[in-house]
Amino acid sequence: MAEVKASLFCGVVAALLCSTALAFVEDLDETFKDTRVNDIWLVDFYAPWCGYCKKLEPIWFDVGAELKSSGSPVRVGKMDATAYSGMASEFGVRGYPTIKLLKGDLAFSYKGPRTKDDIVEFANRVAGPAVRALPSKQMFEHMMKRHDVLFVYVGADSPLKEKYNDVASELIVYTYFFSASEEALPESVSLSELPTVVVFKDGGHFTYDEYEDGSLSSWVNKERFQGYLQIDGFTLYELGETGKLVAIAVIHEKDPTEQSDRLKTLMQRVAKEYREHFNRDFQFGHMDGNDYINSLIMGEVAVPSVIILNTSNEQYFLPSEPIETMEQLVQFISGVLNGSAQAYGGDGFIQRIKRVAFDAKSTIMSVFRSSPLLGCFLFGLPLGVISLMCYGICTAESDDGSEDMDALKREGLTDEEEEEEEEERQRAAELEGPAEEEEDVGEKAPEEKKTD
């Protein structure tokens, strides 16, 4: 009896918790378009049949609960984009799930990892002001500890500040933007001129130069990552938006070797010591294992090794010999930069055909590895049906073909040739008739003899 009560109590608690979580996420319908204007909304556009949407659902309830409990002004909702496809199209929904923060007339798309902490951080960042003030050194130091990369406008009102505010409104989906007076900066930071935009990262600070760096938006987009990163598939996708080439040390991080550690150290040194030479064009980092790289280049990359990827056109570069020293690595990167290094891959027509074939092969192999019986059913049955259809078509064509040949022969004869052919058939029949009668007589003669 006690066990029954305990199980009932647990069930009631779970139901209450579930209903509480559901209360933090609102189901949206066609009225949302008219009622959303006065609030900030974080919306998940989903499809009921989408597996990724189902995987996101419990995380989405946690996001709603977290934002509600922290006092955030952001309201969390979800909308069936298949039921309200017109409204989803107005918000630019092209796939599922799509996460957007709606703030007034603006819609900000979330492109980060689908984890509770990352989504909550995105919502709080975008919901607030595009540029946040740092009024004191204590606040500045606090922000430096919280963020690996920090963009700060320093100085009074100016045309540069207007540009900075515009860039912040555009790129707030990726990073934070701050403003401060020169007095709020650490004493170790000295700036040659004001106003200016500074990025603090990698243990130092670097200022924006309009003549060397081009547009402020492009500079911020390239500088929003640390100089050296641990790279995975998602990070590589984000790096593609910077326009930089990505230099990667492919290593076994979980099972490190001396050569792996050496390549990783060399890449870190180049990123730091050769920043002035390569930072505008290259992003440096390492990747654990070669599975993802192999799928990108449709080949096999040794581990450990070095590869440089151009994500804009799917080209890649490999060193002609194993990298052992700092000089070899710098020479290889310089060769890629000046165009002397050989490029592989690309996005041409032949490469696209190879990509389709490679993806099809990878899908089939993954199905067979995970479930051989399912693979046989999915691919063996259709192949068997197609084979039977081909066999039937081929045999039908052969029979019809012989009849068609006879018809063509007859059509090609003149009237006199047809009469001659008919007479020949009659003569042949007459000759065959007596021969058959003689055979019958020959067969009956012995029996007649016996009766006699």
Side-chain angles (χ1 to χ4, degrees):
M1 189 67 180
E3 294 179 356
V4 174
K5 290 182 178 180
S7 61
L8 288 174
F9 176 76
C10 292
V12 171
V13 172
L16 289 174
L17 291 174
C18 182
S19 62
T20 302
L22 289 172
F24 297 144
V25 178
E26 302 180 42
D27 283 308
L28 307 176
D29 54 25
E30 66 275 358
T31 62
F32 174 67
K33 182 179 180 180
D34 300 324
T35 59
R36 75 173 187 86
V37 180
N38 297 325
D39 295 303
I40 302 174
W41 282 90
L42 184 66
V43 182
D44 168 30
F45 295 90
Y46 70 95
W49 44 262
C50 172
Y52 293 107
C53 301
K54 294 177 182 178
K55 188 176 180 180
L56 177 64
E57 188 173 4
I59 299 173
W60 198 247
F61 290 140
D62 292 340
V63 169
E66 176 73 17
L67 291 173
K68 188 73 174 180
S69 62
S70 64
S72 171
V74 179
R75 299 175 66 178
V76 181
K78 59 188 180 76
M79 176 180 289
D80 184 350
T82 61
Y84 307 103
S85 57
M87 191 177 302
S89 298
E90 290 183 19
F91 290 118
V93 176
R94 297 291 182 269
Y96 311 113
T98 294
I99 299 173
K100 287 183 176 287
L101 187 134
L102 308 176
K103 183 180 178 183
D105 295 330
L106 302 176
F108 301 89
S109 297
Y110 176 70
K111 300 179 181 179
R114 296 187 185 120
T115 64
K116 185 198 75 171
D117 293 339
D118 287 302
I119 296 173
V120 168
E121 197 268 346
F122 164 80
N124 289 328
R125 181 174 70 246
V126 179
V131 178
R132 293 166 166 83
L134 297 176
S136 64
K137 290 184 178 181
Q138 292 79 7
M139 181 63 72
F140 188 93
E141 292 175 357
H142 176 68
M143 287 296 135
M144 283 288 293
K145 293 177 181 178
R146 287 189 58 187
H147 303 285
D148 296 323
V149 179
L150 201 70
F151 289 97
V152 183
Y153 173 85
V154 184
D157 292 341
S158 67
L160 179 61
K161 186 174 183 179
E162 294 179 4
K163 291 182 181 178
Y164 183 76
N165 291 337
D166 293 338
V167 171
S169 299
E170 175 191 354
L171 300 179
I172 189 66
V173 293
Y174 298 120
T175 187
Y176 283 93
F177 293 87
F178 298 91
S179 64
S181 63
E182 190 174 13
E183 290 75 20
L185 300 180
E187 296 179 358
S188 59
V189 178
S190 60
L191 302 176
S192 58
E193 60 180 31
L194 295 177
T196 188
V197 179
V198 188
V199 59
F200 293 85
K201 67 177 187 177
D202 301 330
H205 65 279
F206 310 95
T207 57
Y208 165 67
D209 188 327
E210 184 176 2
Y211 298 102
E212 293 186 3
D213 300 316
S215 70
L216 180 60
S217 176
S218 176
W219 179 78
V220 170
N221 193 36
K222 290 184 176 183
E223 293 288 352
R224 61 189 175 92
F225 293 98
Q226 293 176 275
Y228 185 89
L229 298 169
Q230 179 174 354
I231 299 174
D232 55 18
F234 175 76
T235 307
L236 193 60
Y237 170 79
E238 279 199 315
L239 290 173
E241 298 183 359
T242 66
K244 288 185 176 183
L245 301 176
V246 186
I248 303 174
V250 184
I251 62 175
H252 279 312
E253 195 169 27
K254 297 178 181 177
D255 186 19
T257 62
E258 182 180 350
Q259 190 176 2
S260 293
D261 292 340
R262 182 173 65 253
L263 276 181
K264 181 179 177 181
T265 302
L266 289 177
M267 196 70 77
Q268 289 173 330
R269 286 184 58 191
V270 169
K272 184 175 182 179
E273 298 175 18
Y274 287 81
R275 173 185 164 84
E276 293 298 323
H277 296 83
F278 299 136
N279 180 67
R280 289 187 179 89
D281 302 290
F282 291 90
Q283 173 65 51
F284 297 91
H286 71 271
M287 181 175 285
D288 183 19
N290 62 351
D291 292 339
Y292 190 82
I293 295 294
N294 290 344
S295 66
L296 282 180
I297 69 172
M298 297 179 288
E300 187 78 19
V301 174
V303 181
S305 64
V306 174
I307 186 172
I308 295 178
L309 300 175
N310 186 342
T311 56
S312 63
N313 61 7
E314 300 182 10
Q315 286 186 339
Y316 62 95
F317 303 85
L318 296 171
S320 57
E321 58 183 5
I323 301 296
E324 300 289 344
T325 64
M326 185 84 156
E327 290 74 18
Q328 287 179 314
L329 181 56
V330 172
Q331 184 178 2
F332 171 55
I333 297 172
S334 300
V336 173
L337 186 60
N338 61 33
S340 62
Q342 182 178 357
Y344 302 91
D347 57 357
F349 179 73
I350 295 177
Q351 286 297 123
R352 292 178 185 179
I353 294 176
K354 289 182 179 179
R355 169 59 62 185
V356 172
F358 180 83
D359 291 342
K361 178 183 175 183
S362 301
T363 302
I364 293 173
M365 294 300 294
S366 64
V367 171
F368 274 99
R369 280 195 297 265
S370 60
S371 178
L373 292 177
L374 178 61
C376 292
F377 176 78
L378 290 177
F379 301 105
L381 182 61
L383 287 175
V385 173
I386 293 172
S387 300
L388 290 175
M389 292 175 62
C390 292
Y391 175 77
I393 292 171
C394 293
T395 54
E397 287 180 352
S398 62
D399 293 341
D400 295 340
S402 61
E403 294 176 0
D404 292 341
M405 288 299 292
D406 292 339
L408 288 172
K409 287 180 179 179
R410 288 195 295 270
E411 290 176 0
L413 297 176
T414 62
D415 294 341
E416 294 179 356
E417 290 174 343
E418 288 182 1
E419 290 177 359
E420 291 178 0
E421 187 177 353
E422 186 64 27
E423 289 176 359
E424 289 179 1
R425 288 177 183 171
Q426 289 178 359
R427 292 195 200 100
E430 290 174 358
L431 290 174
E432 290 176 357
E436 291 177 357
E437 291 177 359
E438 290 177 1
E439 289 178 1
D440 293 340
V441 172
E443 291 176 356
K444 294 178 181 179
E447 295 178 358
E448 290 176 356
K449 289 178 181 180
K450 287 181 181 180
T451 55
D452 293 343

